[in-house]
Amino acid sequence: MRAKILIILVILFAFLNCSRPQDEKNPVDWVDVFVGTSNSRWMLGPYATVPFGMVQLGPDNQGDVWMGGYEYAINSVTGFSHIHAWTMGGLRMMPATTDLVFNDRPVDAAYKGGGAGYHSRILKETEKASPGYYSVHLYDHDVYAEMTATTRCGFQKYTFPEKKESRILIDLLFPTEVWYSYSIKDAEIRKVNEYEIEGYATCQIRAQDWNVYTLNFVLKFDKPFDTFNGWNEGKLKKDTTSISGKNDIGAYVTYKTITDEVIMVKSGLSLVSIDQARLNLETELGDFAWDFDAVRTAASNQWNNLLSSVKVEGGTDEDKTKFYTNLYRCYAAKQTWSDVDGKYMDPCENVQQMPEGQRMIGGDSFWNSYWNLNSVWSLISPEYMESYVQAQLELYRKNGWTSVGPTGVEYTGIMNVSHETAMITGAYQKGIRNFDVEEAYRAVRHTVTEQGKRLLPCSGLAGNEYLDVYIKKGYVPYEMNPSSLTMDYAYDDFCVAQMAKSMGKNEDYEYLMKRSGNWKSLFHPELKYIVPKDSTGKWLENYNPFSGQYLVEGNGWQYSLYVPHDIPGLIDLIGIDLFNERLEEGFEKSVSEKFAAHAFDRYMPEPVEYFINMGNQVNMQAPYLFNYSGKPWLTQKYSRAILDTYYGSTPYHGWEGDEDEGQMGGWFVMSAMGLFEMEGGCETEPMVNISSPLFNKITIKLDDKYYPGKEFVIEARNNSKENIYIQSATFNNEPLNSVRIKFSDIVKGGKLELIMGPKLNKDWGNNP
């Protein structure tokens, strides 16, 4: 009897267990950090990092080539470096057990004469990574390498084989992406004791005086090493206490290991000093002792808490992977450059102090980040947006200028424009204002009214270099600099004008709004295209709209659509019929190219007929232009097509272009929710475009520190891969026939409900 009861209970338990839905994945579990890493940049790889981390610790496997760094298709690792920031690298480490070699030549024997190097082949199936973690088995060294990170620290765990001499190498000079290759001007690595090493490396990018930084580091080992050794420019110095010099310099420690012996290394970094690196190490990793798994879990939890700000339901597993991976990318490549106590190194290499609770943040350019990254940060994580604005105001306060990056806390002038003005303005307009708003206005006004200049020897270009010419002529002549600067300057004028209006500064508003129309100076009345002019006012001869001549990373066809602040004015000048005709032709002819141009036209000997290019910033608004030209169903059609085809979910197909530091990711996240900000959120009343969501239901948890609502829900009923067209809509149960809603209404909380269908509905959305 008891046996029968036991059998019944077992069967019942099995039935209940089978009928119970599988545990849902956490958002962090959907992230695939290998996506797109075969079309990589130095800043994009399967690195162990936390949101806005100084440390991005992970594998390198290429030499100094364009788009060098990590390439998924290469089955080797040359080392694990800590810094993978735009124009910056630093502190590579590598465990090794084969014959002693202290250069890092990649596997390719053709690379600069070949040579073995300390690299190792890998079996690809042993390579694993997730947000905050990376691991791989180094085949040639028979070492299992694992790594995780905190904001300013790395944590490595190496499992060695039995060897009379196992080594851990520290290399300060190694190949990075060739465009940003760097040299070591001065460096020293010192043995503190048998458990600790400290040092610094003063690095210079492309021999430019403005981009010099000193990376300070402290390394702590969980077991005492046997010997400390170093090399400089090919000369080996064994069993020493320090090594110093320039160019090729590094060190290694040795151990006698038994089978499966684990040796762990903690690393603390700082741009300020070695003492500050030690402070970062003790503060961020001190409480963890040598518990590697606890640090890994903390990093994963940090990511999961951030990614959980958005919950998506419906869609395919691939859609979820793409969504959370792209959301991850929005936070994985910008860096915190201040230490745990707020100290940072300014552009003149002087130690400065951030106000309490604030941090210095930097990275690549804000070039058109107002279409994607700014939107994600302001809606999903306004605290990050606020931190970035505070960092910009600190730079303005101490140096007189905001910065378009700043990489490593420098003024770079990259991309020739200062769209940090859009970020600061957008934050203010959306109610993110935990900063001195009058100071913020002075900062952005300064950028659009004061002539930019080079802050040598401290740093590079601050502000807009050709602003004086632009103000005088109403455009930038093409023989001086790319004419596309005119379009960017005009947009920034609009942004600051809108902030002036919101703050009651009417005289500034009138002046800058008038100037924001300067883009019309390049509008050719007969060709109906944006055409460069020279300093005498003469149009460029033999103009071809598919040429990228005198334009920045785009062609004339694309730039002729690039007036984010005045799309109605652009449509009026072109004519709505011609506007739609061109745009529809462009999309139809771009389907086979997955809406991407695979080379910048300015690099081609002859113009190439590329239309839509989602792979670079100036054309990423294209599908949403139909919302302004009376055909919103085409916005719905093509935004969904781009989500499905331009974006992929494999290492070989993530983005068909230059992902930079989350720009492509931000576009996917916003568009997958059916949202887009054409004007970048800079209007006095920021408006958000509506399109076709990828998921049946999206729930955004609103931050109650900044916004009054608890959550905003977007529900797409009858949604599917076929049902991509909006049939009708309600907002908080009220009928909605507009393709745009107020940002302020979104953050009050509520529900946007869309009824989807397989056929376009020309009756919905004709009220822009």
Side-chain angles (χ1 to χ4, degrees), residues 402-414:
T402 57
S403 174
V404 72
T407 181
V409 200
E410 303 283 358
Y411 289 90
T412 66
I414 187 66

Side-chain angles (χ1 to χ4, degrees), residues 112 125 167 180 212 234 242 268 273 421 426 494 512 600 602 615 657 674 701:
K112 294 187 177 178
E125 59 267 25
R167 295 176 295 278
Y180 310 127
V212 177
S242 69
S273 69
T421 56
F494 166 82
L512 290 171
F600 297 145
R602 63 193 174 106
K701 297 178 184 177

Side-chain angles (χ1 to χ4, degrees), residues 17 25 66 81 137 249 427 441 452 456 471 553 565 614 749 768:
N17 195 50
K25 285 186 177 181
W66 170 240
S81 56
H137 181 257
I249 182 171
Y441 179 73
L456 297 174
I471 292 173
E553 296 187 8
H565 59 290
M614 297 303 297

